[in-house]
């Protein structure tokens, strides 16, 4: 189909409330499909990873950010630009290792849990927002940074804040193939 001449392409955005409700329905369905919380957590992480792998292109195109020179710059970019752009929140960043490769993103408000009061007792080990960990890991992987991303604290589990831990493992090596 062609567009009428002179008409700009519109950026369609869904409302945050619709997204949050849809995400809640997704997690609820996964809880019905899988008996174990670990299986739900793993599925959310895989889904998030797939999203992150694809989302990084949009992020780089829309944000026009420059190449980060350190892990701390990368963590700040994730918090100040990516989270703000896609979730409308800006987590604070703390470095938690002398080596400078471990960071925490601390969210005072997590928009994915706007309509969730608490997790059911039988789902105590569910990591409701594990999709975020997968998204971060997948996006970092696409810019050649291997990382382990996990939830360290979660308000849904009674913690005072939501904290996502990022541990940069190593720079992924660009492999050059030799021709024989």
């Amino acid at each position: 189909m062609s567009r009428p001449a002179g008409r700009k392409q519109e950026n369609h955005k869904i409302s945050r409330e619709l997204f949050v409700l849809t995400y809640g329905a997704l997690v609820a369905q996964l809880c019905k499909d899988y008996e174990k919380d670990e299986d739900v957590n793993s599925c959310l992480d895989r889904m998030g990873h797939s999203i992150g792998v694809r989302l990084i292109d949009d992020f780089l195109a829309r944000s026009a950010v420059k190449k980060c020179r350190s892990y701390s710059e990368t963590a700040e970019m994730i918090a100040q630009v990516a989270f703000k752009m896609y979730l409308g929140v800006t987590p604070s960043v703390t470095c938690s290792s002398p080596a400078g490769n471990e960071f925490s993103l601390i969210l005072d408000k997590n928009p994915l849990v706007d309509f969730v009061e608490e997790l059911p007792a039988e789902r105590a080990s569910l990591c409701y927002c594990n999709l975020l960990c997968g998204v971060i890991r997948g996006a970092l992987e696409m810019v050649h940074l291997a990382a382990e991303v996990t939830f360290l604290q979660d308000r849904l589990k009674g913690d005072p804040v939501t904290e996502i831990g990022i541990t940069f493992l190593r720079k992924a090596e660009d492999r050059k193939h030799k021709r024989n």
Side-chain angles (χ1 to χ4, degrees):
M1 293 173 66
S2 64
R3 277 189 209 123
R7 188 169 170 184
K8 287 184 179 180
Q9 180 180 357
E10 296 176 20
N11 286 333
H12 294 285
K13 292 185 178 183
I14 63 170
S15 79
R16 186 170 88 166
E17 289 176 350
L18 176 61
F19 173 70
V20 171
L21 289 170
T22 304
Y23 182 73
L26 168 72
V27 175
Q29 185 61 49
L30 290 174
C31 287
K32 288 178 185 175
D33 292 346
Y34 298 102
E35 290 181 24
K36 296 180 183 176
D37 290 343
E38 294 77 24
D39 294 337
V40 175
N41 295 342
S42 178
C43 186
L44 288 169
D45 183 72
R46 282 191 316 271
M47 292 170 78
H49 181 270
S50 294
I51 292 168
V53 164
R54 289 164 182 77
L55 194 64
I56 190 68
D57 287 333
D58 180 69
F59 172 76
L60 293 172
R62 290 178 48 202
S63 66
V65 296
K66 295 184 173 142
K67 184 177 180 178
C68 294
R69 303 267 181 234
S70 66
Y71 291 140
S72 62
E73 279 184 39
T74 303
E76 288 291 338
M77 188 66 59
I78 292 168
Q80 294 178 4
V81 181
F83 266 78
K84 182 71 172 170
M85 184 184 295
Y86 293 107
L87 293 176
V89 296
T90 305
S92 58
V93 179
T94 59
C95 181
S96 56
S97 74
N101 69 327
E102 294 179 25
F103 297 87
S104 289
L105 303 178
I106 300 170
L107 292 108
D108 293 324
K109 181 161 176 31
N110 182 351
L112 289 182
V113 298
D114 280 351
F115 301 109
V116 180
E117 292 179 18
E118 62 183 35
L119 294 176
E122 66 273 6
R123 291 292 187 176
S125 60
L126 176 67
C127 190
Y128 183 84
C129 296
N130 212 38
L131 183 95
L132 294 176
C133 293
V135 170
I136 295 168
R137 189 172 50 83
L140 288 172
E141 188 177 290
M142 294 308 292
V143 293
H144 306 290
L145 291 171
E148 182 179 293
V149 185
T150 57
F151 268 90
L152 303 175
Q153 295 186 71
D154 191 346
R155 280 197 172 176
L156 289 178
K157 295 181 179 182
D159 296 318
V161 294
T162 299
E163 180 179 3
I164 300 172
I166 302 174
T167 303
F168 292 98
L169 303 174
R170 60 176 163 43
K171 278 195 170 185
E173 300 293 317
D174 286 342
R175 297 180 182 188
K176 296 184 180 182
H177 301 286
K178 294 181 182 179
R179 292 185 182 184
N180 293 336

mmCIF file with all atom_site columns, all heavy atoms in Angstrom, residues 77-90:
data_model
loop_
_atom_site.group_PDB
_atom_site.id
_atom_site.type_symbol
_atom_site.label_atom_id
_atom_site.label_alt_id
_atom_site.label_comp_id
_atom_site.label_asym_id
_atom_site.label_entity_id
_atom_site.label_seq_id
_atom_site.pdbx_PDB_ins_code
_atom_site.Cartn_x
_atom_site.Cartn_y
_atom_site.Cartn_z
_atom_site.occupancy
_atom_site.B_iso_or_equiv
_atom_site.pdbx_formal_charge
_atom_site.auth_seq_id
_atom_site.auth_comp_id
_atom_site.auth_asym_id
_atom_site.auth_atom_id
_atom_site.pdbx_PDB_model_num
ATOM 1   N N   . MET A 1 77 ? 23.698 5.458  30.481 1.00 0.00 ? 77 MET A N   1
ATOM 2   C CA  . MET A 1 77 ? 22.929 5.564  29.243 1.00 0.00 ? 77 MET A CA  1
ATOM 3   C C   . MET A 1 77 ? 21.658 4.723  29.328 1.00 0.00 ? 77 MET A C   1
ATOM 4   O O   . MET A 1 77 ? 20.581 5.165  28.918 1.00 0.00 ? 77 MET A O   1
ATOM 5   C CB  . MET A 1 77 ? 23.777 5.100  28.052 1.00 0.00 ? 77 MET A CB  1
ATOM 6   C CG  . MET A 1 77 ? 23.152 5.351  26.720 1.00 0.00 ? 77 MET A CG  1
ATOM 7   S SD  . MET A 1 77 ? 22.989 7.101  26.330 1.00 0.00 ? 77 MET A SD  1
ATOM 8   C CE  . MET A 1 77 ? 24.680 7.638  26.406 1.00 0.00 ? 77 MET A CE  1
ATOM 9   N N   . ILE A 1 78 ? 21.771 3.535  29.892 1.00 0.00 ? 78 ILE A N   1
ATOM 10  C CA  . ILE A 1 78 ? 20.603 2.671  30.058 1.00 0.00 ? 78 ILE A CA  1
ATOM 11  C C   . ILE A 1 78 ? 19.574 3.371  30.943 1.00 0.00 ? 78 ILE A C   1
ATOM 12  O O   . ILE A 1 78 ? 18.388 3.428  30.617 1.00 0.00 ? 78 ILE A O   1
ATOM 13  C CB  . ILE A 1 78 ? 21.002 1.306  30.664 1.00 0.00 ? 78 ILE A CB  1
ATOM 14  C CG1 . ILE A 1 78 ? 21.834 0.497  29.662 1.00 0.00 ? 78 ILE A CG1 1
ATOM 15  C CG2 . ILE A 1 78 ? 19.760 0.516  31.089 1.00 0.00 ? 78 ILE A CG2 1
ATOM 16  C CD1 . ILE A 1 78 ? 22.516 -0.716 30.272 1.00 0.00 ? 78 ILE A CD1 1
ATOM 17  N N   . ALA A 1 79 ? 20.038 3.932  32.044 1.00 0.00 ? 79 ALA A N   1
ATOM 18  C CA  . ALA A 1 79 ? 19.129 4.556  33.012 1.00 0.00 ? 79 ALA A CA  1
ATOM 19  C C   . ALA A 1 79 ? 18.556 5.871  32.499 1.00 0.00 ? 79 ALA A C   1
ATOM 20  O O   . ALA A 1 79 ? 17.338 6.071  32.510 1.00 0.00 ? 79 ALA A O   1
ATOM 21  C CB  . ALA A 1 79 ? 19.858 4.793  34.336 1.00 0.00 ? 79 ALA A CB  1
ATOM 22  N N   . GLN A 1 80 ? 19.420 6.770  32.063 1.00 0.00 ? 80 GLN A N   1
ATOM 23  C CA  . GLN A 1 80 ? 18.981 8.126  31.750 1.00 0.00 ? 80 GLN A CA  1
ATOM 24  C C   . GLN A 1 80 ? 18.330 8.265  30.380 1.00 0.00 ? 80 GLN A C   1
ATOM 25  O O   . GLN A 1 80 ? 17.503 9.161  30.190 1.00 0.00 ? 80 GLN A O   1
ATOM 26  C CB  . GLN A 1 80 ? 20.156 9.089  31.864 1.00 0.00 ? 80 GLN A CB  1
ATOM 27  C CG  . GLN A 1 80 ? 20.650 9.218  33.275 1.00 0.00 ? 80 GLN A CG  1
ATOM 28  C CD  . GLN A 1 80 ? 21.846 10.150 33.383 1.00 0.00 ? 80 GLN A CD  1
ATOM 29  O OE1 . GLN A 1 80 ? 22.277 10.761 32.413 1.00 0.00 ? 80 GLN A OE1 1
ATOM 30  N NE2 . GLN A 1 80 ? 22.388 10.252 34.582 1.00 0.00 ? 80 GLN A NE2 1
ATOM 31  N N   . VAL A 1 81 ? 18.702 7.419  29.445 1.00 0.00 ? 81 VAL A N   1
ATOM 32  C CA  . VAL A 1 81 ? 18.141 7.559  28.100 1.00 0.00 ? 81 VAL A CA  1
ATOM 33  C C   . VAL A 1 81 ? 17.147 6.438  27.786 1.00 0.00 ? 81 VAL A C   1
ATOM 34  O O   . VAL A 1 81 ? 15.993 6.697  27.471 1.00 0.00 ? 81 VAL A O   1
ATOM 35  C CB  . VAL A 1 81 ? 19.261 7.619  27.025 1.00 0.00 ? 81 VAL A CB  1
ATOM 36  C CG1 . VAL A 1 81 ? 18.661 7.794  25.638 1.00 0.00 ? 81 VAL A CG1 1
ATOM 37  C CG2 . VAL A 1 81 ? 20.242 8.748  27.328 1.00 0.00 ? 81 VAL A CG2 1
ATOM 38  N N   . ALA A 1 82 ? 17.568 5.188  27.900 1.00 0.00 ? 82 ALA A N   1
ATOM 39  C CA  . ALA A 1 82 ? 16.720 4.065  27.490 1.00 0.00 ? 82 ALA A CA  1
ATOM 40  C C   . ALA A 1 82 ? 15.475 3.920  28.367 1.00 0.00 ? 82 ALA A C   1
ATOM 41  O O   . ALA A 1 82 ? 14.361 3.817  27.854 1.00 0.00 ? 82 ALA A O   1
ATOM 42  C CB  . ALA A 1 82 ? 17.518 2.767  27.480 1.00 0.00 ? 82 ALA A CB  1
ATOM 43  N N   . PHE A 1 83 ? 15.659 3.895  29.675 1.00 0.00 ? 83 PHE A N   1
ATOM 44  C CA  . PHE A 1 83 ? 14.494 3.753  30.557 1.00 0.00 ? 83 PHE A CA  1
ATOM 45  C C   . PHE A 1 83 ? 13.547 4.931  30.399 1.00 0.00 ? 83 PHE A C   1
ATOM 46  O O   . PHE A 1 83 ? 12.334 4.763  30.369 1.00 0.00 ? 83 PHE A O   1
ATOM 47  C CB  . PHE A 1 83 ? 14.930 3.613  32.027 1.00 0.00 ? 83 PHE A CB  1
ATOM 48  C CG  . PHE A 1 83 ? 15.061 2.186  32.473 1.00 0.00 ? 83 PHE A CG  1
ATOM 49  C CD1 . PHE A 1 83 ? 16.177 1.435  32.128 1.00 0.00 ? 83 PHE A CD1 1
ATOM 50  C CD2 . PHE A 1 83 ? 14.079 1.587  33.239 1.00 0.00 ? 83 PHE A CD2 1
ATOM 51  C CE1 . PHE A 1 83 ? 16.306 0.124  32.535 1.00 0.00 ? 83 PHE A CE1 1
ATOM 52  C CE2 . PHE A 1 83 ? 14.197 0.271  33.647 1.00 0.00 ? 83 PHE A CE2 1
ATOM 53  C CZ  . PHE A 1 83 ? 15.317 -0.468 33.299 1.00 0.00 ? 83 PHE A CZ  1
ATOM 54  N N   . LYS A 1 84 ? 14.099 6.124  30.284 1.00 0.00 ? 84 LYS A N   1
ATOM 55  C CA  . LYS A 1 84 ? 13.264 7.320  30.112 1.00 0.00 ? 84 LYS A CA  1
ATOM 56  C C   . LYS A 1 84 ? 12.496 7.235  28.786 1.00 0.00 ? 84 LYS A C   1
ATOM 57  O O   . LYS A 1 84 ? 11.309 7.523  28.717 1.00 0.00 ? 84 LYS A O   1
ATOM 58  C CB  . LYS A 1 84 ? 14.146 8.575  30.156 1.00 0.00 ? 84 LYS A CB  1
ATOM 59  C CG  . LYS A 1 84 ? 13.374 9.856  30.042 1.00 0.00 ? 84 LYS A CG  1
ATOM 60  C CD  . LYS A 1 84 ? 12.580 10.114 31.292 1.00 0.00 ? 84 LYS A CD  1
ATOM 61  C CE  . LYS A 1 84 ? 11.959 11.495 31.244 1.00 0.00 ? 84 LYS A CE  1
ATOM 62  N NZ  . LYS A 1 84 ? 11.011 11.686 32.310 1.00 0.00 ? 84 LYS A NZ  1
ATOM 63  N N   . MET A 1 85 ? 13.184 6.800  27.733 1.00 0.00 ? 85 MET A N   1
ATOM 64  C CA  . MET A 1 85 ? 12.585 6.742  26.406 1.00 0.00 ? 85 MET A CA  1
ATOM 65  C C   . MET A 1 85 ? 11.455 5.717  26.321 1.00 0.00 ? 85 MET A C   1
ATOM 66  O O   . MET A 1 85 ? 10.404 5.988  25.745 1.00 0.00 ? 85 MET A O   1
ATOM 67  C CB  . MET A 1 85 ? 13.666 6.401  25.365 1.00 0.00 ? 85 MET A CB  1
ATOM 68  C CG  . MET A 1 85 ? 13.187 6.397  23.929 1.00 0.00 ? 85 MET A CG  1
ATOM 69  S SD  . MET A 1 85 ? 14.479 5.888  22.755 1.00 0.00 ? 85 MET A SD  1
ATOM 70  C CE  . MET A 1 85 ? 15.649 7.198  22.921 1.00 0.00 ? 85 MET A CE  1
ATOM 71  N N   . TYR A 1 86 ? 11.667 4.545  26.899 1.00 0.00 ? 86 TYR A N   1
ATOM 72  C CA  . TYR A 1 86 ? 10.710 3.465  26.713 1.00 0.00 ? 86 TYR A CA  1
ATOM 73  C C   . TYR A 1 86 ? 9.737  3.257  27.866 1.00 0.00 ? 86 TYR A C   1
ATOM 74  O O   . TYR A 1 86 ? 8.646  2.737  27.668 1.00 0.00 ? 86 TYR A O   1
ATOM 75  C CB  . TYR A 1 86 ? 11.444 2.152  26.414 1.00 0.00 ? 86 TYR A CB  1
ATOM 76  C CG  . TYR A 1 86 ? 12.146 2.205  25.083 1.00 0.00 ? 86 TYR A CG  1
ATOM 77  C CD1 . TYR A 1 86 ? 13.528 2.312  25.004 1.00 0.00 ? 86 TYR A CD1 1
ATOM 78  C CD2 . TYR A 1 86 ? 11.430 2.194  23.893 1.00 0.00 ? 86 TYR A CD2 1
ATOM 79  C CE1 . TYR A 1 86 ? 14.176 2.382  23.785 1.00 0.00 ? 86 TYR A CE1 1
ATOM 80  C CE2 . TYR A 1 86 ? 12.064 2.268  22.670 1.00 0.00 ? 86 TYR A CE2 1
ATOM 81  C CZ  . TYR A 1 86 ? 13.438 2.359  22.623 1.00 0.00 ? 86 TYR A CZ  1
ATOM 82  O OH  . TYR A 1 86 ? 14.064 2.438  21.410 1.00 0.00 ? 86 TYR A OH  1
ATOM 83  N N   . LEU A 1 87 ? 10.122 3.631  29.081 1.00 0.00 ? 87 LEU A N   1
ATOM 84  C CA  . LEU A 1 87 ? 9.241  3.408  30.226 1.00 0.00 ? 87 LEU A CA  1
ATOM 85  C C   . LEU A 1 87 ? 8.843  4.693  30.946 1.00 0.00 ? 87 LEU A C   1
ATOM 86  O O   . LEU A 1 87 ? 8.011  4.671  31.843 1.00 0.00 ? 87 LEU A O   1
ATOM 87  C CB  . LEU A 1 87 ? 9.896  2.452  31.231 1.00 0.00 ? 87 LEU A CB  1
ATOM 88  C CG  . LEU A 1 87 ? 10.082 1.010  30.747 1.00 0.00 ? 87 LEU A CG  1
ATOM 89  C CD1 . LEU A 1 87 ? 10.828 0.191  31.789 1.00 0.00 ? 87 LEU A CD1 1
ATOM 90  C CD2 . LEU A 1 87 ? 8.745  0.366  30.429 1.00 0.00 ? 87 LEU A CD2 1
ATOM 91  N N   . GLY A 1 88 ? 9.468  5.798  30.580 1.00 0.00 ? 88 GLY A N   1
ATOM 92  C CA  . GLY A 1 88 ? 9.105  7.074  31.186 1.00 0.00 ? 88 GLY A CA  1
ATOM 93  C C   . GLY A 1 88 ? 9.605  7.260  32.603 1.00 0.00 ? 88 GLY A C   1
ATOM 94  O O   . GLY A 1 88 ? 9.098  8.108  33.331 1.00 0.00 ? 88 GLY A O   1
ATOM 95  N N   . VAL A 1 89 ? 10.583 6.473  33.023 1.00 0.00 ? 89 VAL A N   1
ATOM 96  C CA  . VAL A 1 89 ? 11.183 6.615  34.350 1.00 0.00 ? 89 VAL A CA  1
ATOM 97  C C   . VAL A 1 89 ? 12.697 6.690  34.212 1.00 0.00 ? 89 VAL A C   1
ATOM 98  O O   . VAL A 1 89 ? 13.253 6.227  33.221 1.00 0.00 ? 89 VAL A O   1
ATOM 99  C CB  . VAL A 1 89 ? 10.806 5.449  35.294 1.00 0.00 ? 89 VAL A CB  1
ATOM 100 C CG1 . VAL A 1 89 ? 9.323  5.415  35.564 1.00 0.00 ? 89 VAL A CG1 1
ATOM 101 C CG2 . VAL A 1 89 ? 11.278 4.117  34.745 1.00 0.00 ? 89 VAL A CG2 1
ATOM 102 N N   . THR A 1 90 ? 13.344 7.278  35.209 1.00 0.00 ? 90 THR A N   1
ATOM 103 C CA  . THR A 1 90 ? 14.802 7.370  35.203 1.00 0.00 ? 90 THR A CA  1
ATOM 104 C C   . THR A 1 90 ? 15.337 6.774  36.498 1.00 0.00 ? 90 THR A C   1
ATOM 105 O O   . THR A 1 90 ? 15.275 7.417  37.551 1.00 0.00 ? 90 THR A O   1
ATOM 106 C CB  . THR A 1 90 ? 15.274 8.827  35.070 1.00 0.00 ? 90 THR A CB  1
ATOM 107 O OG1 . THR A 1 90 ? 14.671 9.397  33.906 1.00 0.00 ? 90 THR A OG1 1
ATOM 108 C CG2 . THR A 1 90 ? 16.782 8.912  34.939 1.00 0.00 ? 90 THR A CG2 1
#
